[in-house]
Amino acid sequence: METRLRAVMPDRELVRLYEQMVLSREFEESCAEQYTKGHITGFLHLYSGQEAVAVGATAGLHKDDYILSAYREHAQAIVRGAEPKRVMAELFGKATGICKGKGGSMHLFDPGLNFMGGYAIVGGQFPVACGLAFSAKYRGEDRIAACFFGDGAVNQGTFHESLNWARLWELPVLFVCENNFYGIGTEVHRSSAMASIHRRTCGYDIQSEKVDGMDVIAVYKAVKYGAEKVRDTGRPYFIEATTYRFRGHSMADPAKYRSAAEHEVWKSRDPIPAFAKELLAEGIATQPQLDAILEAARATVQEAVQFAETSPWPDANAIWEDIYV
């Protein structure tokens, strides 16, 4: 009898989704530790709890598709193919970082992976996604722009302008809202007159859907469908993935605005153990295999930290490189 998971993809690919979620979680938790040690400075926004969105969504896209994100983007870069050690080195501000130590946590960028950046300015990625989609359409390329953002960005002017542009010009953009319900410390229903975010697209005649962002398979199926819809029609599509960040907005945020009961409800829906339970139940993986995956992820992250610690700082003259003027 065909199971829920095997109906979607082969066993090896299902295990790969689990590996990516575990690696993402271990990387983020290590970042928190390195921040407390003073190795990572500035703002640090962690993704713990939201892994099913990055992993499921990336699996539903083509390698040639552009990906843009906000400032909570470490996991998305790694899942896309960025080396964890180079991402960690970037967070440390080292010359071996993915952006030579000049971008830091909020500005990861790798055009070789078509990962077109994290954006510290809230809503800054919307117009860029439209521009990339326009260029793909102009060149007749079979690629789309997948634009990730949080619920806190949907009241920005760029959100509305970009949805309007995308529909008016029929641009191949897949908008993916990671709705974790809090813009810093403000709950979405206190900042948005229409708290059901996917319904806001009706004003732009853009088809949309809402998906469980704590279910990696549900996200994968929604994004795969949405991406192919964009590819076939050349028109934008919108997905709202409801998820939850287990930590505060940033490392400087104790998240006192959320109740312990609320946190526990969402923690019980942690996408990693939930998916592990399904993999075991359907005989796709054994517990020793899952244990080995966790150990491998921890080893990869430990190697990344060691690489970052021993890497050199950028040369003083590097300040004059990679600038426009």
Side-chain angles (χ1 to χ4, degrees):
M1 186 176 71
E2 204 168 47
T3 60
R4 180 179 100 101
L5 301 187
R6 286 194 172 116
V8 177
M9 61 177 69
D11 288 12
R12 182 68 198 107
E13 292 180 30
L14 291 165
V15 173
R16 179 63 179 153
L17 298 182
Y18 183 76
E19 290 172 346
Q20 290 178 325
M21 285 200 291
V22 170
L23 177 58
S24 298
R25 177 70 59 83
E26 291 300 315
F27 187 91
E28 294 294 70
E29 294 306 303
S30 178
C31 286
E33 180 184 350
Q34 297 308 314
Y35 183 90
T36 60
K37 290 180 177 180
H39 293 156
I40 299 173
T41 57
F43 285 105
L44 181 68
H45 308 85
L46 300 180
Y47 200 70
S48 300
Q50 299 183 207
E51 294 88 355
V53 182
V55 173
T58 303
L61 297 168
H62 293 182
K63 292 290 186 184
D64 285 342
D65 293 337
Y66 296 115
I67 291 180
L68 302 93
S69 187
Y71 44 71
R72 201 183 305 278
E73 90 286 30
H74 312 154
Q76 285 167 328
I78 290 170
V79 171
R80 184 56 159 181
E83 292 183 82
K85 65 181 186 180
R86 291 191 63 217
V87 175
M88 187 65 79
E90 185 62 34
L91 270 58
F92 274 54
K94 298 298 185 72
T96 53
I98 195 171
C99 296
K100 305 178 186 177
K102 298 179 180 182
S105 171
M106 297 189 281
H107 302 100
L108 302 178
F109 185 87
D110 191 335
L113 297 171
N114 293 312
F115 188 82
M116 308 308 285
Y119 292 80
I121 296 174
V122 177
Q125 65 271 44
F126 292 122
V128 182
C130 286
L132 289 166
F134 181 85
S135 71
K137 178 180 179 178
Y138 186 79
R139 295 169 181 164
E141 297 171 338
D142 179 27
R143 63 186 356 176
I144 70 171
C147 184
F148 293 82
F149 54 96
D151 52 281
V154 301
N155 291 322
Q156 293 293 102
T158 50
F159 172 81
H160 300 277
E161 292 163 355
S162 297
L163 262 64
N164 188 56
W165 289 339
R167 180 62 184 89
L168 186 64
W169 296 343
E170 297 194 343
L171 302 179
V173 185
L174 177 65
F175 295 100
V176 183
C177 177
E178 299 190 67
N179 183 5
N180 61 28
F181 303 106
Y182 291 91
I184 307 182
T186 303
E187 202 165 359
V188 66
H189 70 81
R190 294 178 57 214
S191 61
S192 294
M194 175 62 76
S196 188
I197 292 170
H198 70 287
R199 292 174 58 192
R200 299 175 69 155
T201 66
C202 65
Y204 304 101
D205 191 27
I206 294 176
Q207 190 175 346
S208 67
E209 68 173 299
K210 185 177 182 178
V211 66
D212 180 4
M214 303 299 269
D215 182 342
V216 68
I217 296 299
V219 174
Y220 165 75
K221 290 169 70 175
V223 169
K224 186 174 177 60
Y225 172 82
E228 293 311 311
K229 188 93 172 171
V230 172
R231 226 178 292 281
D232 292 343
T233 65
R235 293 180 177 179
Y237 191 84
F238 190 102
I239 295 171
E240 176 191 355
T242 52
T243 183
Y244 200 78
R245 53 173 162 79
F246 292 159
R247 289 181 173 270
H249 170 71
S250 71
M251 284 295 291
D253 173 22
K256 296 296 186 182
Y257 45 83
R258 304 190 304 194
S259 71
E262 176 188 286
H263 182 82
E264 286 306 310
V265 167
W266 282 96
K267 190 69 176 173
S268 70
R269 300 190 59 225
D270 189 325
I272 296 176
F275 193 54
K277 188 175 180 181
E278 283 197 276
L279 291 172
L280 293 171
E282 298 189 11
I284 295 165
T286 63
Q287 189 59 55
Q289 282 178 298
L290 300 185
D291 293 341
I293 287 169
L294 175 60
E295 289 307 310
R298 287 176 173 167
T300 297
V301 172
Q302 185 176 8
E303 180 189 359
V305 171
Q306 291 172 346
F307 176 80
E309 286 178 337
T310 57
S311 289
W313 295 101
D315 185 86
N317 289 328
I319 196 171
W320 302 111
E321 300 169 359
D322 307 312
I323 55 178
Y324 287 115
V325 179

